[in-house]
């Protein structure tokens, strides 16, 4: 086992904290084995400030992928999430069955703005979480993300799907 001198370790911690406080995403960890079949993409949220946040996303566009979602995932980096795409506006109802993480769910309208946010959902719950209007997608992020970064109704969304 090798150890780094404390000065180098603290320098790395300081660099990561600087990136986080500046709103820059930290490189994501390796994808979870349960998500290896999901296509990847990127999404940008233009939050109040204005601030642009780059989110690495797993894309759930098939019925099978949407049914699996983030079930059984134990952790997720701050700037990583799952995007459920529907193609055309529909009313959405979701639940947290078998989902271990508390999440913020950002419901995205056809105009590519956040329509509504379900904050801090309850893990393992079967309570229905519904969009307040027809939407084309839902972005799931770690609970508290919307509050920390100012993602709210009216926030603009830019999608880059499939890479």
């Amino acid at each position: 086992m090798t150890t780094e001198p404390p000065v180098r370790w603290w320098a790395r911690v300081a660099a990561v904290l600087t990136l986080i406080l500046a709103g820059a995403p930290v490189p994501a960890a390796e994808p979870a084995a349960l998500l290896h079949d999901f296509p990847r993409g990127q999404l940008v949220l233009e939050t109040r400030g204005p601030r642009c946040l780059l989110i690495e996303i797993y894309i759930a566009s098939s019925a099978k992928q949407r049914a699996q979602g983030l079930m059984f995932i134990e952790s997720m980096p701050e700037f990583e999430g799952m995007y459920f795409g529907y193609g055309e506006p529909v009313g959405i109802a979701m639940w947290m069955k078998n989902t271990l993480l508390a999440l913020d769910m950002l419901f995205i309208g056809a105009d590519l703005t956040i329509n509504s946010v379900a904050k801090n959902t309850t893990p393992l719950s079967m309570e229905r979480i519904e969009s307040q209007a027809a939407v084309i997608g839902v972005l799931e992020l770690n609970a508290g993300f919307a509050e920390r970064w100012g993602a709210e109704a009216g926030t603009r969304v830019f999608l880059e799907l499939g890479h």
Side-chain angles (χ1 to χ4, degrees):
M1 181 168 105
T2 62
T3 59
E4 286 186 318
V7 173
R8 286 188 187 148
W9 182 83
W10 279 109
R12 286 187 179 164
V13 170
V16 169
L17 286 175
T18 300
L19 286 172
I20 290 170
L21 293 175
V26 177
E30 287 295 312
L34 291 172
L35 300 174
H36 73 280
D37 289 334
F38 284 75
R40 300 296 305 262
Q42 294 181 324
L43 180 145
V44 173
L45 297 176
E46 186 178 72
T47 63
R48 65 179 180 255
R51 179 184 324 182
C52 290
L53 304 171
L54 177 65
I55 312 295
E56 295 290 329
I57 55 174
Y58 292 95
I59 302 164
S61 55
S62 72
K64 181 179 176 182
Q65 290 167 336
R66 288 192 294 264
Q68 178 184 330
L70 290 171
M71 290 193 312
F72 306 111
I73 301 302
E74 296 178 356
S75 66
M76 192 166 56
E78 178 75 357
F79 292 94
E80 189 170 282
M82 180 165 285
Y83 177 76
F84 295 77
Y86 295 91
E88 60 184 59
V90 293
I92 304 296
M94 305 177 95
W95 62 11
M96 297 288 291
K97 181 181 179 182
N98 298 321
T99 304
L100 307 175
L101 301 170
L103 300 169
D104 284 352
M105 294 180 180
L106 288 61
F107 294 93
I108 301 168
D111 64 352
L112 293 179
T113 64
I114 295 174
N115 176 287
S116 63
V117 178
K119 294 181 180 178
N120 200 25
T121 59
T122 304
L124 305 173
S125 171
M126 291 185 53
E127 180 181 335
R128 290 170 54 96
I129 303 161
E130 298 182 18
S131 60
Q132 296 177 2
V135 296
I136 62 162
V138 180
L139 175 61
E140 291 184 343
L141 300 165
N142 287 311
F145 185 97
E147 186 71 28
R148 282 189 298 278
W149 298 102
E152 57 195 14
T155 295
R156 292 190 336 155
V157 178
F158 301 90
L159 292 170
E160 180 186 317
L161 304 177
H163 77 272

